[in-house]
Amino acid sequence: MNARAKVPHPQAGGIVVRAIPFSFEEGINPVWHPGRPEWSHMANGASLTMPYLEPFLIKTVREALKSASNKQLKDDVHGFMAQEGNHFQNHRRYNEILKTHYPELADVEDAMTAEYKKFQKKSLRWRLAYTAGFETMTMGMTEWLIEERRDLFKNADPSVSSLILWHMVEETEHKNVAYDLYQDLFGSYWPRTWGLIYGSFHVAWASRKGYNRMLKRDGLWNSFSSRLRLWKMVSRFLIKASPAMLRSLVPGYHPSKVNDPNWVSRWTHAYADLPEDIIPLLDTNDPDIPAQFAR
């Protein structure tokens, strides 16, 4: 394929917007990691929340942007909104395929629609604290997914694996934005703390509703061995994500102080060299899952 060289679209703040149209085969197996239905559906449940969570985050920071005082921060917010917009659009395409297998997921989506509509009526400080809190939690998730990628994604479906890890790379790139915007407008410690706790657990609970229904339809929810595997995976996530949440509560904390996994920079450099029309699919058959893409 003779594709012309691709030019990324960086915002003034340095946040690169990558409009990657991930494609998913209609016949894709929702258990995208062979032999690991519990982990597959945990990730599927998280994916289900994205077309509801991320538009809420975008609306919140767009409203807050009107009062922001720093030009660099304003540029970064625009990059944040563009990246998050690309995320939920790709997740929505995948979720539509999930619902052909699990039509009961529509009920979970209806509940999220109602919840975020209710949240939209809350104060800007509350909504921005929720946004900053959730974005803080994603740093722990990113560290877990990337550092343990060899176990979590080895021999898994490359399209779903690549979608998840691309999403995590960009969460790393805009990790400062929601925090800085909250600090610029409000800066109150306790509301931000509450936002971290509430936002993180609200999204986790919504994800659980999704994977609960998928595991039930697959006949696994009442299986002791399946439930044990599920709780082991949930525990692994909590062990990894909790330190990220706790360190954010320390006075003087700032997301920029957190070192990003080296794999993130390797991914961004590999993507910059990728021709325009090529989707950045990782080789999940490679035991190391390197930041390299098939051409």
Side-chain angles (χ1 to χ4, degrees), residues 116-130:
Y116 282 110
K117 185 177 180 180
K118 181 179 65 175
F119 290 169
Q120 201 62 49
K121 298 178 182 178
K122 292 183 177 291
S123 70
L124 178 59
R125 187 180 75 169
W126 189 96
R127 286 179 281 128
L128 195 54
Y130 178 110

Side-chain angles (χ1 to χ4, degrees), residues 17-219:
V17 179
R18 308 173 182 90
I20 303 173
F22 277 93
S23 58
F24 305 100
E25 298 295 331
E26 291 296 325
I28 191 171
N29 189 345
V31 180
W32 51 268
H33 193 303
R36 286 199 169 182
E38 296 82 14
W39 162 230
S40 297
H41 287 326
M42 277 180 64
N44 291 342
S47 179
L48 195 69
T49 69
M50 294 299 113
Y52 303 90
L53 165 68
E54 293 188 313
F56 171 78
L57 305 183
I58 292 169
K59 289 178 183 177
T60 298
V61 300
R62 181 181 289 121
E63 182 179 341
L65 182 63
K66 299 173 185 176
S67 302
S69 61
N70 182 283
K71 183 184 183 303
Q72 182 66 66
L73 178 56
K74 290 180 178 181
D75 290 337
D76 289 343
V77 171
H78 283 291
F80 173 95
M81 291 190 293
Q83 284 191 335
E84 296 287 42
N86 287 328
H87 295 169
F88 82 77
Q89 290 171 22
N90 277 290
H91 282 283
R92 177 178 286 156
R93 283 196 289 273
Y94 177 61
N95 295 347
E96 289 304 310
I97 296 174
L98 285 179
K99 286 190 292 183
T100 65
H101 296 270
Y102 307 95
E104 56 269 51
L105 293 177
D107 293 338
V108 181
E109 291 185 319
D110 289 343
M112 285 190 287
T113 297
E115 288 172 358
Y116 282 110
K117 185 177 180 180
K118 181 179 65 175
F119 290 169
Q120 201 62 49
K121 298 178 182 178
K122 292 183 177 291
S123 70
L124 178 59
R125 187 180 75 169
W126 189 96
R127 286 179 281 128
L128 195 54
Y130 178 110
T131 301
F134 175 76
E135 289 293 309
T136 295
M137 186 274 290
T138 62
M139 287 189 287
M141 184 185 301
T142 298
E143 291 171 2
W144 176 53
L145 292 173
I146 290 177
E147 290 175 7
E148 298 190 21
R149 66 186 183 279
R150 299 168 185 85
D151 179 54
L152 296 173
F153 299 103
K154 182 182 177 182
N155 296 326
D157 182 274
S159 59
V160 179
S161 303
S162 300
L163 168 70
I164 294 171
L165 289 169
W166 158 70
H167 191 156
M168 294 300 101
V169 166
E170 294 196 343
E171 289 297 320
T172 299
E173 290 180 330
H174 65 232
K175 66 183 181 181
N176 301 332
V177 178
Y179 183 95
D180 286 344
L181 189 57
Y182 176 84
Q183 292 297 113
D184 186 57
L185 268 62
F186 302 107
S188 302
Y189 175 81
W190 290 112
R192 180 175 63 81
T193 300
W194 171 245
L196 168 65
I197 296 169
Y198 187 88
S200 299
F201 283 96
H202 175 255
V203 176
W205 185 250
S207 300
R208 183 187 184 278
K209 290 179 182 178
Y211 69 68
N212 167 276
R213 283 158 175 77
M214 287 181 272
L215 288 170
K216 280 184 176 179
R217 178 168 285 269
D218 289 352

